[in-house]
Amino acid sequence: MSNVHKPLTQYLDRVNPQDLAAYQNTGGYQGFTNALAMTAKEVQQQVTDSELKGRGGAGFQTGTKWSFVPMGDDAPEQKYLVCNADEMEPGTFKDRMLMEGAPHLLIEGMMIAAYAIGANVAFIFLRGEYRLCAKRLQQAIDEATKAKLLGKNIKGSNYSLTIHLHTSAGRYICGEETALINALEGKRANPRAKPPFPQVVGLFGRPTIVNNCETLCNLPCILKNGAKWYTELADSPDKGTKIYGISGRVKQAGLWELPMGATAQQIFDLGGGMQDGLKLKGWLPGGASTDFLLPEHLDLKMEYDVIAKAGSRLGTGGIIALDDHHCPVGMILNLMQFFAQESCGWCTPCRDGLPWAVEILSRIESGQGSQDDIDELQKLCGFMWIGKTFCALAPGAVEPLRSGMKYFADEFQQHIDHKGCPYGH
C-alpha cells in the first residue's frame, strides 16, 4: 500500500511527530477545515457513509453511535467528547504507536468528532503509564491552541473547542466507557447501568460520546478525501484500514496498517512467522479477552463477522501467538490472574468468579488438580457469561479459558493424569 492508502501510519515517519508545521505540510487539519465548511449533521452523515466501525473492540458503527446524541435547539447546551486512550488490553499497543507518532492526527480527529456532535469540551483519557504519549499530546494541544486551531472561534467560525489531557490511575475496567466516565468525574471506576446511555446522560450528566483513539484517528482522512474514498480502501464488508498487531514468540512482533479483511496469515507473515524451532499452537485474534483460534484458522479474514463465526472476536486486532513449547494452561492462568486483579468488584460473578477460576487453574498447573476441577471451570464460565454480569469484563475474561478448555483439552487432562505440567513448568 502507498502512503495515501495508509491514512494513519503515513505520519509515523516524521522526525518530530508533534510538530504542527510538519503535520500541516502533509495535509494535516485539512479534514477539520472541510468539516467546518459543513453542518454538524453533514459531518455525521459523511462518517455514517464511510461505514467506519469503532476500533476499540466492539466494532459498532461510529456514525450510528453519534446519531444518538441530542442535536438541535432542544439539545443540552453542554456536551462532551472523550477519547478512550486507556489501552490496557494485553497484546494491544496500537493506540500508543499512534499517539507517540502522530499526536496531531488524534487532535484533529477529536476536533472533527466534537464538531459533529456539538461538543465544546473534549478529554483524552490516557493510560497513566504512557508518559511519552502524554508529553507529545500535550505539546500538540499547546501548539494547536497557539495556532488558534483550538480555543475560541476557531478559524473565524462560531465554533470553539477546548481539549484537556487526563492521565488515568490505571485500571482495565476504564476501557468500559461508563467506568471511564466515572473515573473522569473523580469517582470509583465502576460501570454504570444502561440505559440511560452516555450519548444522552454521560459525563457530568451531559450527552457524551466516548470513542477509541484509533477510531478518532480515521476521521481526518474521511473528511479530507470523502466517504467513498474510504470505503474503497478495503475489499471487505468492514471498510477502511486497520492497525493489526502481533506479539508472542514470533520473529518480529509489531504493528501494520492493512486494509480491513487482511488474513491472519498475512499478519503472521509480516511478523516473520514463529521463532526458529517453534510451531504455532493457537492464537488470540484481538487481545487477551478473545477466544483462542487454531493454526487451521489462519486463512480467515480479520473481519468482525468472519472471526465471530469462527467462535472468537476481532477485538482490537492485536494477535497473541501461543507456541508449542509454552503450556496453554499456564498461559490461561496468567491471563486469568490479570483479569481477576483488574475486576472492579462491582458484581458477584466477576468479583468472586475470577479469583475462584485462578485458584482452580493454579491447582491444575501445579499438579494438584482433579477431574472435578475441570467440571467446576466449565460451570464458572457459564456463571460469568454474557447477560449474567454487570458489564463485559468477566465474559471477555473467560473467553480464553472456555476456548482453551475446548481446544487444549488434552493438555488440561495431562496435568491431572500426570499430576504436573507436561511442559515442565
Side-chain angles (χ1 to χ4, degrees):
M1 293 176 69
S2 65
N3 275 348
V4 73
H5 293 147
K6 292 184 178 181
L8 279 65
T9 56
Q10 64 173 309
Y11 299 102
L12 300 183
D13 295 331
R14 310 301 171 205
V15 176
N16 297 308
Q18 66 270 41
D19 182 72
L20 174 60
Y23 181 66
Q24 289 178 311
N25 287 339
T26 54
Y29 289 105
Q30 184 58 52
F32 176 66
T33 300
N34 293 349
L36 275 183
M38 305 162 69
T39 66
K41 185 176 181 180
E42 288 172 335
V43 175
Q44 285 197 24
Q45 189 60 51
Q46 186 91 307
V47 175
T48 299
D49 291 344
S50 76
E51 301 181 50
L52 171 65
K53 292 182 178 180
R55 303 299 201 238
F60 192 74
Q61 291 281 359
T62 303
T64 302
K65 186 174 185 176
W66 290 1
S67 71
F68 300 137
V69 174
M71 301 292 287
D73 296 336
D74 296 332
E77 182 177 350
Q78 185 64 64
K79 303 175 192 176
Y80 296 104
L81 172 77
V82 180
C83 170
N84 183 350
D86 205 45
E87 196 168 51
M88 284 194 66
E89 181 73 23
T92 302
F93 40 99
K94 60 185 179 64
D95 294 344
R96 177 181 179 178
M97 179 183 71
L98 289 171
M99 290 184 285
E100 288 182 358
H104 277 287
L105 183 66
L106 175 58
I107 301 304
E108 183 181 5
M110 292 181 67
M111 292 163 67
I112 293 168
Y115 177 78
I117 65 170
N120 295 115
V121 180
F123 295 88
I124 303 173
F125 191 92
L126 179 68
R127 179 174 174 174
E129 292 84 357
Y130 282 4
R131 294 184 178 88
L132 182 57
C133 293
K135 178 181 177 181
R136 291 184 174 177
L137 284 169
Q138 189 59 59
Q139 183 172 338
I141 292 170
D142 293 343
E143 279 200 341
T145 302
K146 185 177 180 180
K148 301 189 183 305
L149 290 168
L150 289 173
K152 296 286 186 182
N153 304 117
I154 300 171
K155 286 181 170 286
S157 70
N158 293 324
Y159 182 64
S160 303
L161 176 65
T162 302
I163 295 180
H164 301 281
L165 177 64
H166 175 90
T167 51
S168 163
R171 290 305 305 270
Y172 180 81
I173 190 61
C174 289
E176 200 282 334
E177 62 181 5
T178 61
L180 181 155
I181 289 171
N182 271 341
L184 197 52
E185 290 182 355
K187 301 173 183 174
R188 180 175 171 179
N190 291 332
R192 298 179 178 180
K194 293 182 285 188
F197 291 92
Q199 293 95 318
V200 180
V201 182
L203 184 65
F204 304 120
R206 302 297 182 180
T208 303
I209 283 291
V210 180
N211 280 141
N212 169 259
C213 171
E214 185 187 355
T215 307
L216 293 165
C217 285
N218 276 273
L219 299 178
C221 74
I222 294 172
L223 270 296
K224 179 182 176 183
N225 300 299
K228 184 175 184 295
W229 174 89
Y230 188 79
T231 61
E232 292 175 350
L233 289 176
D235 183 18
S236 164
D238 300 325
K239 305 305 179 182
T241 62
K242 176 82 182 76
I243 297 181
Y244 295 104
I246 191 167
S247 59
R249 296 173 75 178
V250 293
K251 290 181 179 177
Q252 181 63 56
L255 297 160
W256 299 273
E257 183 177 9
L258 301 170
M260 284 294 301
T263 67
Q265 185 65 64
Q266 287 177 274
I267 300 167
F268 269 89
D269 289 344
L270 287 168
M274 302 303 293
Q275 294 176 10
D276 293 342
L278 300 178
K279 293 182 180 179
L280 179 66
K281 189 174 187 65
W283 53 286
L284 300 170
S289 61
T290 56
D291 291 84
F292 277 102
L293 294 176
L294 298 177
E296 51 259 43
H297 294 120
L298 287 177
D299 289 335
L300 292 178
K301 290 186 175 183
M302 292 287 279
E303 299 172 352
Y304 291 98
D305 288 346
V306 170
I307 298 300
K309 288 178 181 177
S312 188
R313 294 185 302 111
L314 179 61
T316 62
I319 293 174
I320 304 176
L322 169 66
D323 63 86
D324 62 343
H325 284 47
H326 195 104
C327 176
V329 177
M331 178 180 177
I332 294 168
L333 170 59
N334 178 267
L335 295 178
M336 294 300 290
Q337 287 171 328
F338 170 81
F339 289 122
Q341 174 180 292
E342 292 299 328
S343 171
C344 76
W346 189 245
C347 68
T348 302
C350 184
R351 181 188 64 240
D352 295 343
L354 292 176
W356 192 359
V358 169
E359 182 179 332
I360 295 172
L361 283 166
S362 297
R363 284 204 302 267
I364 295 173
E365 177 67 358
S366 65
Q368 302 174 42
S370 67
Q371 195 61 48
D372 289 342
D373 287 329
I374 302 292
D375 298 336
E376 199 68 27
L377 285 173
Q378 295 282 10
K379 291 179 184 178
L380 280 173
C381 288
F383 292 151
M384 292 185 280
W385 196 233
I386 298 168
K388 299 180 180 179
T389 61
F390 197 77
C391 79
L393 191 155
V398 299
E399 285 189 39
L401 173 58
R402 67 167 192 161
S403 58
M405 294 174 67
K406 170 185 174 182
Y407 289 128
F408 311 125
D410 289 346
E411 281 82 354
F412 274 86
Q413 195 62 50
Q414 287 171 18
H415 279 75
I416 293 169
D417 293 343
H418 302 296
K419 298 192 180 302
C421 178
Y423 291 80
H425 297 168

